[in-house]
Amino acid sequence: MNLEALPKFYSPKSPKLNDETPATGGVALTITDVMAAQGLVQSQASLGFNLFLAKMGIQDPQSAIDGLVNYVLALNNPVLKKLGDTARAEMALCLAQFAYSDYARSAASKCQCQHCEGKGVIRLVKPVVKHPGVKGVEATIRNESVEELCAQCKGKGEVSTACRDCHGRGFALDRKRSELHGVPVNKVCGRCNGKGYSRLPTTLARRQISALVADLTDYQWYNGYADVINKLVTKCWQEETFAEKKLREVTR
Ligand SMILES: [Zn+2]
Ligand SMILES: [Zn+2]
């Protein structure tokens, strides 16, 4: 049994409680088997299991984020080490939440538009021409706060997390080879590396961190915060893979 098969055990609509994934050879598992297997995976690969359950919306992400915070603190990053205890804990939480959002995007198809913060409109100050309506009197220009439709999400307030190049398929047409062979040839999408979804831009995290750290330097960003985020996201995927391996072992 693999992790992907788990969510259906949580769905009350599941007609049969068996794992129909072909890779397992169709071995029927009872709900008791699944519960026992879950207990084992939870104890042996808790971070990966918590991450996966949270990503699928089965469990609150708090325990997964707590696990990531502990990981950040154990990294002993030189930039974070310079902070006081309270600031370091606050940063660790901020970085863990960001990395979790990046990881969880793989399961979501839509997310809040970062450009307008989900409002669909953007408020900005613009010069507005005022016509007095009186002949001979010149129009005046005044700066006014106006609302404009968000161009990023076209007013919807949410954007697709699917990769813009391959639209979530993970592969794209290889034009060169297709022409060469005269048949459509696909290649792994270069933008998302075949994952099919777009990564959360780290510029967003930089903005958040800049609000907390005065005069954030490039050194602090690249060797500190950005480095920790990358390690965290990698950690999420490694832990999920580990939990998957454990689940296969116990349901073999
Ligand atoms: Zn928007
Ligand atoms: Zn792609």
Side-chain angles (χ1 to χ4, degrees):
M1 173 169 174
N2 57 20
L3 280 177
E4 297 295 330
L6 253 192
K8 70 170 177 244
F9 285 95
Y10 290 88
S11 158
K13 286 190 202 127
S14 277
K16 288 181 286 176
L17 286 173
N18 68 338
D19 175 19
E20 287 159 311
T21 319
T24 61
V27 183
L29 291 167
T30 65
I31 190 75
T32 322
D33 293 336
V34 175
M35 287 305 184
Q38 273 190 45
L40 275 166
V41 179
Q42 182 66 261
S43 68
Q44 293 175 9
S46 60
L47 180 53
F49 198 55
N50 286 335
L51 279 164
F52 180 79
L53 293 181
K55 177 172 89 168
M56 301 313 287
I58 293 165
Q59 183 181 290
D60 187 88
Q62 199 50 54
S63 18
I65 289 169
D66 287 346
L68 293 176
V69 167
N70 290 335
Y71 173 72
V72 176
L73 298 174
L75 277 177
N76 266 325
N77 179 282
V79 173
L80 265 72
K81 239 164 101 177
K82 289 213 175 80
L83 302 169
D85 287 350
T86 318
R88 196 184 313 117
E90 194 186 347
M91 282 301 170
L93 179 62
C94 183
L95 297 170
Q97 280 168 337
F98 185 84
Y100 170 75
S101 310
D102 189 304
Y103 158 81
R105 271 162 89 84
S106 60
S109 57
K110 290 235 165 60
C111 70
Q112 193 189 66
C113 172
Q114 300 291 341
H115 209 66
C116 61
E117 287 161 341
K119 291 187 202 81
V121 286
I122 289 176
R123 192 154 265 289
L124 68 174
V125 177
K126 260 189 138 182
V128 178
V129 182
K130 292 278 165 194
H131 296 284
V134 184
K135 259 191 185 170
V137 180
E138 256 181 67
T140 50
I141 296 169
R142 249 191 249 143
N143 283 332
E144 275 187 10
S145 168
V146 290
E147 263 184 3
E148 264 189 9
L149 203 68
C150 171
Q152 198 80 12
C153 62
K154 300 193 172 62
K156 287 196 284 287
E158 50 182 24
V159 285
S160 168
T161 52
C163 168
R164 272 187 285 150
D165 277 11
C166 65
H167 305 287
R169 289 175 307 161
F171 56 84
L173 191 70
D174 187 335
R175 292 193 186 281
K176 251 190 184 163
R177 287 224 191 93
S178 300
E179 270 169 35
L180 197 69
H181 298 284
V183 286
V185 179
N186 288 322
K187 62 175 178 185
V188 171
C189 172
R191 183 188 279 274
C192 64
N193 255 323
K195 285 195 177 77
Y197 66 94
S198 56
R199 290 276 314 267
L200 210 53
T202 45
T203 45
L204 268 176
R206 187 166 183 161
R207 225 183 289 157
Q208 276 178 33
I209 302 294
S210 301
L212 297 168
V213 181
D215 306 318
L216 182 72
T217 64
D218 272 357
Y219 171 81
Q220 287 173 329
W221 172 248
Y222 290 109
N223 296 284
Y225 307 103
D227 186 55
V228 171
I229 290 173
N230 286 334
K231 288 201 169 110
L232 274 169
V233 175
T234 309
K235 178 79 176 166
C236 288
W237 289 104
Q238 282 171 344
E239 290 295 322
E240 186 188 306
T241 309
F242 180 63
E244 173 100 53
K245 194 175 144 248
K246 284 286 161 202
L247 184 65
R248 279 183 194 279
E249 274 174 27
V250 298
T251 55
R252 207 173 27 198

